[in-house]
Amino acid sequence: MPTSAAATFVSMDGTATVSGFLTEPDRYRHLLDAGRPGPVIARGSGLSYVAASMGPGILSIATRYFDRILAFDPETGLIEVEAGARLGPLLSFLLERGYILPVIPGHPAITIGGCIACDVHGKNPARDRTFREHVVALELWHPKLGLRSIRAGTPDFDATCGGYGLTGMIVSARIRAQKVGGTAVRIDLTPVRDLGEAHAILTEKAPRADFLYSWHDWSRPGSTLGFVVEGTITAGPRAPTQFAASLERGARFPVMNRLTIPLFNAAYGAKLARKNGRVAPLTDALFPIASLAAYYRLYRRGLIEHQVLISQAAWPDYWPALGKLFDDHGVRPVVSSLKMFQGERQGVGFSGAGISLTFDLVNNDRSRALLSRLDAIDCDIGALTNPAKDSRLTATVFRRQTPDLPSFLARRAVLDPDRSFRSALSQRLAL
Ligand SMILES: Cc1cc2nc3c(=O)[nH]c(=O)nc-3n(C[C@H](O)[C@H](O)[C@H](O)COP(=O)(O)OP(=O)(O)OC[C@H]3O[C@@H](n4cnc5c(N)ncnc54)[C@H](O)[C@@H]3O)c2cc1C
């Protein structure tokens, strides 16, 4: 029997502190024995912004020792890995062999289990869709039902991908890696006047770009100047062997306010502009903020990240209305950015077609009041909030934004009949 200890977890965004238990099994027999009475949840690197892999009184089962590459076929790129494998080492392995994962979120310590359970998106979701599209099969463990193999295209697979760890613990997965033409990225910037112009350029580039997003300085009323950033993978030096990452979340300090947000944006925009036309190693381009310890210390009371997927039809009216909300509430976003999405919405995860707008606000009452107002607008226009990123999303808003919730809950009742798997996130969203 593995040991478990009382543990205090803090969500990545700093807004939730949870007292639970932690076990870190290092053998399959320990994992399979982890069945202590009471609720459990799988834990990767804890890099979800929200409290998804922890919960009050809940045992978090960490996958950190389940990080092996089990098989790789150099002809097809099919790779089988344990769920605790982290993106950084896995990418080093693949790049040395001329392959890459098609969907890569923004931190090298994120695990494969976390990628599947949150059905994450990568550098160009309009072209590459979300992580599940590239998973062929997975092994799922449940304390009562044991180990089961689950293939893509089955209802159990659909509930597990983007199921926030609530259908069981993913032990390993088979994933289709893609051939890659190099180990560096050429960055090209197109200046844009506003979020409308950015949308037009992103739409035009989305079918082909390797990396594609826009960044905007929304720190001054009436202005959303920015850049569309396109990355093209190109021949580079040797395959990178190490992806730098900071997991530091130490002391938080209140550096962001009405005076410093414009300064921060000006500095960030200038830094971005210097990258135009440059070729950067993949190590830097894939994870631009991962090594910045300061990113994790930006706010005293945590940052609020809000990410929402808006339909193409709603977009022209949406962003000017949001600008007005910022003005009315006296709130300015610290960072804001767009990505394009394509595909069908799948289950209860963050997927579908449209424009994904992400912005960070200082966590205070004004920001929360603004976001509550925005929730109502989002529900009315059928927009979708990312549950893995937004700590204040309520069960009511989630239910209104998730038409497939009843079918997810029905499948989950089969896969986890006594609701052994729970988390602070599942409690908040009534999942
Ligand atoms: C700097 C940064 C950049 C990011 N960029 C992106 C991005 O570009 N796109 C994007 O979509 N997301 C992004 N994210 C969010 C992140 O990709 C996801 O939240 C991811 O799930 C975190 O993985 P993790 O290994 O840390 O999992 P955790 O945070 O520990 O867990 C996340 C969820 O996955 C479940 N889980 C973990 N392992 C397993 C398993 N073995 N079996 C079953 N369930 C499991 C947990 O129970 C929990 O519900 C970013 C986060 C950070 C901090």
Short mmCIF file of all heavy atoms in Angstrom, two decimals, residues 58-101:
data_model
loop_
_atom_site.label_atom_id
_atom_site.label_comp_id
_atom_site.label_asym_id
_atom_site.label_seq_id
_atom_site.Cartn_x
_atom_site.Cartn_y
_atom_site.Cartn_z
N ILE A 58 -9.78 15.22 -0.42
CA ILE A 58 -9.68 14.26 -1.55
C ILE A 58 -8.22 13.83 -1.71
O ILE A 58 -7.29 14.62 -1.51
CB ILE A 58 -10.23 14.93 -2.83
CG1 ILE A 58 -11.76 15.10 -2.67
CG2 ILE A 58 -9.88 14.14 -4.08
CD1 ILE A 58 -12.42 15.96 -3.71
N LEU A 59 -8.03 12.55 -2.05
CA LEU A 59 -6.67 12.03 -2.25
C LEU A 59 -6.25 12.27 -3.70
O LEU A 59 -6.85 11.72 -4.63
CB LEU A 59 -6.64 10.53 -1.94
CG LEU A 59 -5.32 9.81 -2.24
CD1 LEU A 59 -4.19 10.31 -1.33
CD2 LEU A 59 -5.48 8.29 -2.08
N SER A 60 -5.23 13.09 -3.90
CA SER A 60 -4.67 13.31 -5.23
C SER A 60 -3.62 12.23 -5.49
O SER A 60 -2.68 12.07 -4.70
CB SER A 60 -4.00 14.69 -5.33
OG SER A 60 -4.98 15.70 -5.25
N ILE A 61 -3.80 11.50 -6.59
CA ILE A 61 -2.83 10.44 -6.94
C ILE A 61 -1.93 10.99 -8.04
O ILE A 61 -2.37 11.16 -9.19
CB ILE A 61 -3.55 9.16 -7.42
CG1 ILE A 61 -4.61 8.72 -6.40
CG2 ILE A 61 -2.55 8.05 -7.68
CD1 ILE A 61 -5.42 7.50 -6.84
N ALA A 62 -0.69 11.28 -7.67
CA ALA A 62 0.23 11.91 -8.62
C ALA A 62 0.79 10.87 -9.59
O ALA A 62 1.04 9.72 -9.22
CB ALA A 62 1.37 12.59 -7.87
N THR A 63 0.99 11.31 -10.84
CA THR A 63 1.51 10.39 -11.87
C THR A 63 3.00 10.62 -12.13
O THR A 63 3.52 10.13 -13.11
CB THR A 63 0.74 10.59 -13.19
OG1 THR A 63 0.83 11.97 -13.55
CG2 THR A 63 -0.72 10.18 -13.07
N ARG A 64 3.67 11.36 -11.25
CA ARG A 64 5.03 11.79 -11.58
C ARG A 64 5.99 10.63 -11.83
O ARG A 64 6.93 10.76 -12.63
CB ARG A 64 5.59 12.72 -10.51
CG ARG A 64 5.82 12.03 -9.17
CD ARG A 64 6.28 13.01 -8.15
NE ARG A 64 7.58 13.58 -8.48
CZ ARG A 64 8.27 14.33 -7.67
NH1 ARG A 64 7.76 14.67 -6.49
NH2 ARG A 64 9.45 14.77 -7.99
N TYR A 65 5.76 9.46 -11.22
CA TYR A 65 6.68 8.33 -11.46
C TYR A 65 6.24 7.46 -12.62
O TYR A 65 6.90 6.49 -12.95
CB TYR A 65 6.84 7.50 -10.19
CG TYR A 65 7.50 8.29 -9.08
CD1 TYR A 65 6.82 8.59 -7.92
CD2 TYR A 65 8.80 8.77 -9.24
CE1 TYR A 65 7.41 9.35 -6.91
CE2 TYR A 65 9.40 9.54 -8.24
CZ TYR A 65 8.69 9.82 -7.08
OH TYR A 65 9.28 10.58 -6.11
N PHE A 66 5.12 7.80 -13.23
CA PHE A 66 4.65 7.05 -14.41
C PHE A 66 4.93 7.90 -15.64
O PHE A 66 4.03 8.47 -16.24
CB PHE A 66 3.16 6.73 -14.26
CG PHE A 66 2.90 5.72 -13.20
CD1 PHE A 66 2.80 6.11 -11.88
CD2 PHE A 66 2.84 4.37 -13.51
CE1 PHE A 66 2.62 5.18 -10.88
CE2 PHE A 66 2.66 3.43 -12.52
CZ PHE A 66 2.55 3.83 -11.19
N ASP A 67 6.21 7.99 -15.98
CA ASP A 67 6.61 8.96 -17.01
C ASP A 67 7.45 8.32 -18.12
O ASP A 67 8.23 8.98 -18.78
CB ASP A 67 7.38 10.12 -16.37
CG ASP A 67 8.69 9.66 -15.73
OD1 ASP A 67 8.90 8.43 -15.62
OD2 ASP A 67 9.49 10.53 -15.37
N ARG A 68 7.26 7.01 -18.32
CA ARG A 68 8.12 6.34 -19.31
C ARG A 68 7.52 6.35 -20.71
O ARG A 68 6.31 6.36 -20.87
CB ARG A 68 8.34 4.89 -18.89
CG ARG A 68 9.21 4.74 -17.66
CD ARG A 68 9.33 3.32 -17.24
NE ARG A 68 8.03 2.75 -16.94
CZ ARG A 68 7.84 1.47 -16.63
NH1 ARG A 68 8.85 0.64 -16.58
NH2 ARG A 68 6.62 1.02 -16.38
N ILE A 69 8.43 6.32 -21.68
CA ILE A 69 8.03 6.07 -23.06
C ILE A 69 8.02 4.56 -23.21
O ILE A 69 9.05 3.89 -22.99
CB ILE A 69 9.00 6.74 -24.04
CG1 ILE A 69 8.91 8.26 -23.87
CG2 ILE A 69 8.70 6.32 -25.48
CD1 ILE A 69 9.97 9.05 -24.59
N LEU A 70 6.88 3.98 -23.57
CA LEU A 70 6.75 2.52 -23.60
C LEU A 70 7.06 1.95 -24.98
O LEU A 70 7.56 0.83 -25.09
CB LEU A 70 5.33 2.12 -23.17
CG LEU A 70 4.90 2.61 -21.78
CD1 LEU A 70 3.43 2.31 -21.54
CD2 LEU A 70 5.77 1.96 -20.70
N ALA A 71 6.73 2.67 -26.01
CA ALA A 71 6.99 2.16 -27.38
C ALA A 71 6.98 3.33 -28.35
O ALA A 71 6.30 4.35 -28.11
CB ALA A 71 5.89 1.17 -27.78
N PHE A 72 7.77 3.20 -29.42
CA PHE A 72 7.77 4.23 -30.47
C PHE A 72 8.04 3.56 -31.81
O PHE A 72 8.96 2.76 -31.93
CB PHE A 72 8.85 5.29 -30.20
CG PHE A 72 8.96 6.29 -31.30
CD1 PHE A 72 7.91 7.17 -31.58
CD2 PHE A 72 10.11 6.36 -32.10
CE1 PHE A 72 8.00 8.09 -32.61
CE2 PHE A 72 10.20 7.28 -33.13
CZ PHE A 72 9.15 8.15 -33.38
N ASP A 73 7.22 3.88 -32.79
CA ASP A 73 7.41 3.33 -34.13
C ASP A 73 7.94 4.45 -35.04
O ASP A 73 7.20 5.37 -35.39
CB ASP A 73 6.07 2.80 -34.67
CG ASP A 73 6.22 2.19 -36.05
OD1 ASP A 73 7.23 2.48 -36.73
OD2 ASP A 73 5.32 1.43 -36.44
N PRO A 74 9.23 4.39 -35.41
CA PRO A 74 9.81 5.48 -36.21
C PRO A 74 9.22 5.57 -37.61
O PRO A 74 9.36 6.60 -38.28
CB PRO A 74 11.31 5.13 -36.29
CG PRO A 74 11.42 3.71 -35.88
CD PRO A 74 10.20 3.32 -35.11
N GLU A 75 8.53 4.53 -38.06
CA GLU A 75 7.91 4.58 -39.40
C GLU A 75 6.62 5.40 -39.37
O GLU A 75 6.37 6.22 -40.23
CB GLU A 75 7.55 3.16 -39.88
CG GLU A 75 8.76 2.26 -40.11
CD GLU A 75 9.66 2.85 -41.18
OE1 GLU A 75 9.14 3.31 -42.20
OE2 GLU A 75 10.89 2.89 -40.96
N THR A 76 5.80 5.15 -38.34
CA THR A 76 4.47 5.79 -38.31
C THR A 76 4.39 6.96 -37.34
O THR A 76 3.44 7.76 -37.40
CB THR A 76 3.41 4.77 -37.85
OG1 THR A 76 3.75 4.35 -36.52
CG2 THR A 76 3.37 3.55 -38.77
N GLY A 77 5.32 7.06 -36.41
CA GLY A 77 5.27 8.11 -35.39
C GLY A 77 4.34 7.78 -34.23
O GLY A 77 4.10 8.61 -33.35
N LEU A 78 3.82 6.56 -34.22
CA LEU A 78 2.93 6.18 -33.10
C LEU A 78 3.77 5.99 -31.83
O LEU A 78 4.76 5.25 -31.85
CB LEU A 78 2.22 4.86 -33.47
CG LEU A 78 0.92 4.60 -32.73
CD1 LEU A 78 -0.10 5.71 -33.01
CD2 LEU A 78 0.34 3.25 -33.17
N ILE A 79 3.38 6.69 -30.78
CA ILE A 79 4.17 6.61 -29.53
C ILE A 79 3.24 6.24 -28.38
O ILE A 79 2.10 6.72 -28.31
CB ILE A 79 4.92 7.94 -29.27
CG1 ILE A 79 5.84 7.80 -28.06
CG2 ILE A 79 3.98 9.13 -29.09
CD1 ILE A 79 6.94 8.84 -28.01
N GLU A 80 3.72 5.34 -27.52
CA GLU A 80 2.94 4.95 -26.35
C GLU A 80 3.68 5.44 -25.11
O GLU A 80 4.87 5.14 -24.94
CB GLU A 80 2.78 3.43 -26.31
CG GLU A 80 1.86 2.98 -25.20
CD GLU A 80 1.54 1.49 -25.28
OE1 GLU A 80 2.06 0.80 -26.20
OE2 GLU A 80 0.79 1.03 -24.41
N VAL A 81 2.99 6.20 -24.27
CA VAL A 81 3.65 6.78 -23.10
C VAL A 81 2.78 6.61 -21.86
O VAL A 81 1.55 6.53 -21.96
CB VAL A 81 3.91 8.30 -23.26
CG1 VAL A 81 5.01 8.57 -24.24
CG2 VAL A 81 2.66 9.05 -23.64
N GLU A 82 3.44 6.61 -20.72
CA GLU A 82 2.69 6.64 -19.46
C GLU A 82 2.14 8.06 -19.27
O GLU A 82 2.69 9.05 -19.78
CB GLU A 82 3.59 6.22 -18.31
CG GLU A 82 3.92 4.73 -18.39
CD GLU A 82 4.84 4.26 -17.27
OE1 GLU A 82 5.70 5.04 -16.81
OE2 GLU A 82 4.71 3.09 -16.88
N ALA A 83 1.06 8.12 -18.48
CA ALA A 83 0.31 9.39 -18.40
C ALA A 83 1.07 10.50 -17.69
O ALA A 83 0.77 11.68 -17.87
CB ALA A 83 -1.02 9.16 -17.70
N GLY A 84 2.07 10.15 -16.88
CA GLY A 84 2.83 11.19 -16.18
C GLY A 84 3.97 11.75 -17.01
O GLY A 84 4.69 12.64 -16.54
N ALA A 85 4.14 11.26 -18.25
CA ALA A 85 5.20 11.80 -19.11
C ALA A 85 4.94 13.28 -19.33
O ALA A 85 3.81 13.70 -19.60
CB ALA A 85 5.21 11.06 -20.44
N ARG A 86 6.02 14.06 -19.22
CA ARG A 86 5.89 15.52 -19.38
C ARG A 86 6.24 15.92 -20.80
O ARG A 86 7.09 15.29 -21.45
CB ARG A 86 6.80 16.23 -18.39
CG ARG A 86 6.35 15.99 -16.96
CD ARG A 86 7.32 16.57 -15.96
NE ARG A 86 6.72 16.50 -14.64
CZ ARG A 86 6.93 17.38 -13.68
NH1 ARG A 86 7.74 18.41 -13.88
NH2 ARG A 86 6.36 17.24 -12.50
N LEU A 87 5.62 17.01 -21.26
CA LEU A 87 5.81 17.41 -22.65
C LEU A 87 7.27 17.66 -22.99
O LEU A 87 7.72 17.29 -24.07
CB LEU A 87 5.00 18.69 -22.93
CG LEU A 87 3.49 18.53 -22.92
CD1 LEU A 87 2.83 19.89 -23.13
CD2 LEU A 87 3.04 17.57 -24.02
N GLY A 88 8.02 18.32 -22.10
CA GLY A 88 9.40 18.70 -22.42
C GLY A 88 10.26 17.50 -22.81
O GLY A 88 10.76 17.42 -23.94
N PRO A 89 10.43 16.53 -21.89
CA PRO A 89 11.25 15.36 -22.23
C PRO A 89 10.70 14.56 -23.42
O PRO A 89 11.46 14.08 -24.25
CB PRO A 89 11.21 14.50 -20.95
CG PRO A 89 10.79 15.43 -19.87
CD PRO A 89 10.02 16.54 -20.50
N LEU A 90 9.37 14.50 -23.52
CA LEU A 90 8.77 13.76 -24.62
C LEU A 90 9.09 14.44 -25.96
O LEU A 90 9.43 13.78 -26.95
CB LEU A 90 7.25 13.72 -24.39
CG LEU A 90 6.43 12.81 -25.28
CD1 LEU A 90 6.99 11.40 -25.28
CD2 LEU A 90 4.99 12.80 -24.77
N LEU A 91 9.03 15.77 -25.97
CA LEU A 91 9.34 16.49 -27.21
C LEU A 91 10.82 16.35 -27.57
O LEU A 91 11.17 16.22 -28.74
CB LEU A 91 8.97 17.97 -27.06
CG LEU A 91 7.47 18.22 -27.17
CD1 LEU A 91 7.12 19.62 -26.69
CD2 LEU A 91 6.99 18.01 -28.61
N SER A 92 11.69 16.36 -26.56
CA SER A 92 13.11 16.16 -26.85
C SER A 92 13.30 14.83 -27.56
O SER A 92 14.02 14.73 -28.57
CB SER A 92 13.94 16.18 -25.57
OG SER A 92 13.80 17.42 -24.94
N PHE A 93 12.65 13.78 -27.03
CA PHE A 93 12.75 12.45 -27.62
C PHE A 93 12.23 12.46 -29.06
O PHE A 93 12.88 11.96 -29.98
CB PHE A 93 11.93 11.45 -26.77
CG PHE A 93 11.85 10.07 -27.35
CD1 PHE A 93 12.81 9.11 -27.02
CD2 PHE A 93 10.82 9.73 -28.21
CE1 PHE A 93 12.74 7.83 -27.55
CE2 PHE A 93 10.75 8.45 -28.75
CZ PHE A 93 11.70 7.50 -28.42
N LEU A 94 11.08 13.06 -29.27
CA LEU A 94 10.46 13.04 -30.60
C LEU A 94 11.25 13.88 -31.61
O LEU A 94 11.47 13.46 -32.74
CB LEU A 94 9.02 13.55 -30.52
CG LEU A 94 8.01 12.57 -29.90
CD1 LEU A 94 6.67 13.25 -29.66
CD2 LEU A 94 7.83 11.33 -30.78
N LEU A 95 11.66 15.08 -31.18
CA LEU A 95 12.36 15.96 -32.12
C LEU A 95 13.68 15.35 -32.60
O LEU A 95 14.06 15.50 -33.76
CB LEU A 95 12.61 17.33 -31.47
CG LEU A 95 11.35 18.20 -31.31
CD1 LEU A 95 11.61 19.37 -30.38
CD2 LEU A 95 10.85 18.70 -32.66
N GLU A 96 14.35 14.63 -31.71
CA GLU A 96 15.59 13.96 -32.13
C GLU A 96 15.32 12.92 -33.21
O GLU A 96 16.22 12.53 -33.95
CB GLU A 96 16.25 13.29 -30.94
CG GLU A 96 17.10 14.26 -30.13
CD GLU A 96 17.43 13.74 -28.75
OE1 GLU A 96 17.35 12.51 -28.54
OE2 GLU A 96 17.72 14.57 -27.87
N ARG A 97 14.08 12.48 -33.32
CA ARG A 97 13.71 11.45 -34.31
C ARG A 97 12.86 12.03 -35.45
O ARG A 97 12.23 11.28 -36.20
CB ARG A 97 12.97 10.30 -33.60
CG ARG A 97 13.93 9.49 -32.76
CD ARG A 97 13.24 8.77 -31.62
NE ARG A 97 14.24 8.06 -30.83
CZ ARG A 97 14.98 8.61 -29.87
NH1 ARG A 97 14.82 9.90 -29.57
NH2 ARG A 97 15.87 7.91 -29.22
N GLY A 98 12.80 13.36 -35.54
CA GLY A 98 12.10 13.99 -36.66
C GLY A 98 10.59 14.07 -36.50
O GLY A 98 9.87 14.25 -37.48
N TYR A 99 10.12 13.95 -35.26
CA TYR A 99 8.67 14.01 -35.02
C TYR A 99 8.34 15.09 -33.99
O TYR A 99 9.21 15.54 -33.23
CB TYR A 99 8.16 12.67 -34.50
CG TYR A 99 7.98 11.63 -35.60
CD1 TYR A 99 9.01 10.75 -35.92
CD2 TYR A 99 6.78 11.54 -36.30
CE1 TYR A 99 8.84 9.80 -36.94
CE2 TYR A 99 6.61 10.60 -37.30
CZ TYR A 99 7.64 9.74 -37.62
OH TYR A 99 7.46 8.81 -38.61
N ILE A 100 7.06 15.44 -33.93
CA ILE A 100 6.58 16.40 -32.93
C ILE A 100 5.14 16.03 -32.56
O ILE A 100 4.45 15.37 -33.35
CB ILE A 100 6.64 17.84 -33.52
CG1 ILE A 100 6.46 18.90 -32.42
CG2 ILE A 100 5.60 18.05 -34.62
CD1 ILE A 100 6.83 20.32 -32.88
N LEU A 101 4.71 16.44 -31.37
CA LEU A 101 3.28 16.28 -31.04
C LEU A 101 2.51 17.37 -31.77
O LEU A 101 2.94 18.53 -31.79
CB LEU A 101 3.06 16.43 -29.52
CG LEU A 101 3.62 15.33 -28.64
CD1 LEU A 101 3.42 15.70 -27.17
CD2 LEU A 101 2.96 13.99 -28.95
#
